[in-house]
Amino acid sequence: MGAVDTGSGSDDATSRRRLHHLVICSAARQWSGVPRGAIAAATALIGMSFLAGCAGSPTTSHSSSSATPSTTGGQLAVFSTSLGPRGVTVDGQGNIYVADEGARQIVKLSPSGQLIARLGAAIPLNHPVKVKLDAQGNLWVTELGGNTLAKLSGTGQLLARFDAAASGGFSEPNGVALDAQGNVYVADVFNHRIVKLAPSGQVLATFGSEGNTPGAFEEPHDVAVDASGNIYISDTRNNRVQKLSPDGKALTQWPVNDPRGIAVGASGNVYIGDLGTGSIDELSPTGTLLRHFGAPGRGRGQITLPAGVAIDAEGNVYVAEGDPEDGSPCPCRVQKFAATGPVLTVWV
């Protein structure tokens, strides 16, 4: 565990993600089988002209100047219009916490969607992308910009930042989850692993390495833990979700087309943000597909990039949609779906 700089950092995380998605939107379709290093080198050389083959320009909706929420029609918008919300969680009272990467804060809403607080705005957080609550009401937030895991009090005070230096450090930490003992799990995207930390921030274990065999990962974007301590990983570039035992042994895997956000409900059902189908897949604990929430698109009840997923005590499903990562306009919203599928509310 290492002490880390608490400065606000730069927009390096945004730049890294844009380069990464040059590969996704063009190379993944046209350069199948080419080693990642060669693709990265090529995209670094041809840069913006290659992105022009994707859906729009990166200047359309990625302006770093939108670090504070905008106003529309005289009403204060809940979320920033640049990058926007990328993670969501719900507490026992039904309050909603949204990691708003563009505004560099955690937005807390009441169960009805009323703005309660903007947490961490004074720090500020460094590109926060996922958030989870522990039993004491503290918030655990992954920060892409600083390659750090931040721990905040329930009122938004910065308590600590951890960088997993003892295990080589994070490289774009994204998903975060907690188990019943308060241990914290982080999806460490470009290290292709899951890092398990004690509540104190000490690294306890790492699971996985780069690859496509059981227990290996290719850019895991999110992680969830069930009541028994089993670990579920959105193994994004391998187009699958993997289930590990509490000690990190590979148990099973399910094919999913470009999985992103992931959550486990009280029943043990698994909810997966399926970018490939523009929906949330609800699977039984054994992997049987039960239903889809949403459909591809930008309308009410439709989904672009399901970056964050959460389930409340009634089984309602929350989906955070931020930067779609292809240069097209940011939906910058959170949608709430009923447990039976219909969309109930959209917050922007």
Side-chain angles (χ1 to χ4, degrees):
M1 178 178 66
V4 299
D5 183 3
T6 58
S8 62
S10 69
D11 286 327
D12 288 347
T14 305
S15 300
R16 284 198 305 273
R17 191 163 59 250
R18 287 181 190 164
L19 176 59
H20 172 60
H21 288 285
L22 302 185
V23 177
I24 294 172
C25 68
S26 295
R29 292 194 292 265
Q30 301 175 23
W31 294 357
S32 178
V34 177
R36 181 202 324 241
I39 293 174
T43 53
L45 287 173
I46 57 182
M48 296 294 291
S49 61
F50 195 36
L51 185 60
C54 298
S57 164
T59 59
T60 301
S61 62
H62 293 274
S63 171
S64 61
S65 64
S66 297
T68 57
S70 64
T71 58
T72 54
Q75 300 284 327
L76 182 66
V78 176
F79 306 120
S80 67
T81 56
S82 171
L83 302 179
R86 299 182 65 83
V88 59
T89 195
V90 184
D91 67 20
Q93 289 73 50
N95 297 309
I96 307 152
Y97 300 77
V98 180
D100 188 339
E101 184 182 4
R104 303 194 180 197
Q105 59 192 226
I106 304 301
V107 178
K108 181 179 180 181
L109 307 176
S110 72
S112 63
Q114 297 298 309
L115 179 64
I116 295 175
R118 299 186 183 276
L119 306 173
I123 301 173
L125 294 169
N126 198 343
H127 289 271
V129 287
K130 296 291 188 293
V131 57
K132 287 294 186 297
L133 286 149
D134 64 22
Q136 290 73 45
N138 299 311
L139 288 77
W140 294 82
V141 181
T142 46
E143 299 177 288
L144 285 188
N147 284 320
T148 46
L149 172 67
K151 181 181 180 181
L152 309 183
S153 71
T155 58
Q157 294 178 312
L158 180 64
L159 301 178
R161 271 187 170 127
F162 307 108
D163 58 7
S167 65
F170 293 123
S171 182
E172 282 210 17
N174 197 328
V176 60
L178 284 88
D179 64 21
Q181 290 73 46
N183 298 311
V184 186
Y185 300 76
V186 175
D188 192 3
V189 175
F190 290 122
N191 284 326
H192 313 283
R193 65 181 184 174
I194 303 300
V195 181
K196 178 181 179 180
L197 304 97
S200 64
Q202 176 187 1
V203 175
L204 299 176
T206 61
F207 305 131
S209 59
E210 185 172 11
N212 57 16
T213 57
F217 308 110
E218 195 70 43
E219 298 179 17
H221 273 59
D222 207 357
V223 59
V225 180
D226 67 20
S228 300
N230 297 306
I231 308 160
Y232 301 79
I233 300 99
S234 288
D235 189 5
T236 302
R237 301 295 164 233
N238 281 327
N239 291 310
R240 65 186 179 183
V241 165
Q242 294 201 63
K243 179 180 179 180
L244 309 184
S245 66
D247 59 354
K249 300 293 192 303
L251 298 176
T252 190
Q253 62 184 35
W254 305 312
V256 179
N257 189 357
D258 205 348
R260 297 307 180 98
I262 191 167
V264 180
S267 66
N269 291 342
V270 184
Y271 299 78
I272 304 159
D274 186 338
L275 178 60
T277 62
S279 65
I280 305 302
D281 300 336
E282 181 183 358
L283 306 183
S284 73
T286 59
T288 300
L289 178 63
L290 302 176
R291 66 170 54 85
H292 291 295
F293 295 82
R298 294 176 173 274
R300 180 183 173 91
Q302 297 179 321
I303 295 172
T304 52
L305 185 133
V309 180
I311 315 299
D312 68 18
E314 284 82 40
N316 299 309
V317 179
Y318 300 76
V319 183
E321 297 177 85
D323 174 18
E325 302 179 342
D326 62 1
S328 60
C330 176
C332 294
R333 64 186 180 181
V334 170
Q335 298 196 73
K336 178 182 179 180
F337 293 83
T340 53
V343 65
L344 298 175
T345 309
V346 180
W347 296 297
V348 296

